[in-house]
Amino acid sequence: MNINGCLVHRTDERIEFVKHDENDPKYKRHVQQCKVKRYHCYWRDGYLVFLRSLMMHPRVNFAFYSSIMQKNILPILRKTFEDDMGLFDDHMFAIFDQTHCKKSPEITGEKFGFIRDLEKVWATKRCTGFFEKTGKMFSEANTLMIETEETQVHDWFENALIVDRYGREDVWPVPDKEFRDQRSILNSIEDDLFKLMDAKSDDVRQAI
């Protein structure tokens, strides 16, 4: 799962929490936030409940997969799990970062653009060691990525579930723009994922 866009809005913009209507419920909420270097990070409502459900599922080996470096991911993860470090310690299978992606500016349209490369992920000691220990091998048949941008999974679109991106207008209401219930969005994503896992297909690509 990509944490940026799926669970966190990471931006160099500091968002002002202006209450345009004191009586409107959407302004009566707490937004989990922190600053990591020059970036401001804002968490999606309900993210921890969602992570508990997904990471503790018996058919899931959960990992975060990002195109930023691990040293820049870890402060975000520490904040993400600060209220439940046991979840991180017991149910985080791995963290895959930029070194497990493929530089592809011609695809992303960005000078330093990266896309996912599952071959690099499966070749890691974490994954090969899991096979040596359990006899279970990760492959196209049992690996699913949760992403918000199709370009990120350009080479592996059959192994991806594209979900609604958590953006600036979702962190705090923007005038004249419909405010979306983020807990409902995460519940919908969770339902889709659980249906995939309950299908008990031998190939996740057929179940998507």
Side-chain angles (χ1 to χ4, degrees):
M1 183 176 203
N2 186 359
I3 191 167
N4 188 33
C6 289
L7 300 179
V8 173
H9 177 59
R10 180 173 173 264
T11 175
D12 53 9
E13 171 197 3
R14 182 177 181 274
I15 296 174
E16 298 292 339
F17 296 103
V18 179
K19 296 184 178 181
H20 299 281
D21 183 348
E22 293 284 350
N23 297 315
D24 193 325
K26 65 175 174 276
Y27 295 111
K28 297 180 179 179
R29 36 189 287 276
H30 171 72
V31 179
Q32 182 88 324
Q33 59 180 299
C34 76
K35 187 175 182 182
V36 179
K37 296 184 178 179
R38 67 183 181 90
Y39 290 101
H40 298 271
C41 299
Y42 303 91
W43 275 258
R44 203 167 206 164
D45 287 347
Y47 71 92
L48 191 54
V49 172
F50 171 80
L51 283 174
R52 285 176 181 142
S53 296
L54 187 56
M55 293 174 70
M56 295 176 72
H57 192 285
R59 297 192 70 192
V60 172
N61 291 297
F62 186 88
F64 278 120
Y65 195 2
S66 175
S67 57
I68 63 177
M69 297 300 292
Q70 186 168 130
K71 64 180 181 181
N72 295 322
I73 302 171
L74 289 176
I76 299 174
L77 293 185
R78 280 195 288 269
K79 185 68 176 179
T80 300
F81 291 96
E82 67 177 0
D83 292 330
D84 195 345
M85 284 306 298
L87 182 66
F88 180 88
D89 294 337
D90 298 337
H91 297 282
M92 179 65 71
F93 178 78
I95 302 168
F96 301 114
D97 69 353
Q98 189 181 103
T99 61
H100 306 103
C101 296
K102 180 168 68 174
K103 191 173 183 180
S104 301
E106 71 284 0
I107 293 173
T108 65
E110 301 170 345
K111 184 178 180 180
F112 300 104
F114 289 85
I115 61 173
R116 304 296 181 249
D117 188 345
L118 287 178
E119 294 286 359
K120 288 184 178 181
V121 168
W122 297 327
T124 61
K125 289 183 179 180
R126 185 70 178 103
C127 289
T128 57
F130 182 77
F131 171 69
E132 292 169 359
K133 182 178 180 180
T134 66
K136 298 177 181 178
M137 180 180 293
F138 292 108
S139 69
E140 297 96 328
N142 58 18
T143 302
L144 178 67
M145 293 179 288
I146 306 171
E147 289 284 353
T148 61
E149 307 294 336
E150 292 184 3
T151 53
Q152 291 286 320
V153 294
H154 182 272
D155 293 348
W156 302 92
F157 65 93
E158 290 184 327
N159 290 85
L161 180 67
I162 305 299
V163 302
D164 285 341
R165 186 175 183 83
Y166 177 57
R168 161 64 187 89
E169 67 277 7
D170 299 312
V171 176
W172 197 251
V174 176
D176 302 323
K177 219 167 189 182
E178 183 180 356
F179 187 66
R180 306 186 301 168
D181 185 335
Q182 298 304 309
R183 291 177 184 269
S184 294
I185 291 174
L186 285 179
N187 287 340
S188 178
I189 296 171
E190 180 182 309
D191 288 343
D192 288 342
L193 290 170
F194 277 33
K195 285 177 184 176
L196 285 174
M197 290 182 283
D198 291 342
K200 296 181 180 178
S201 172
D202 292 332
D203 194 325
V204 69
R205 295 168 296 179
Q206 297 175 0
I208 294 177

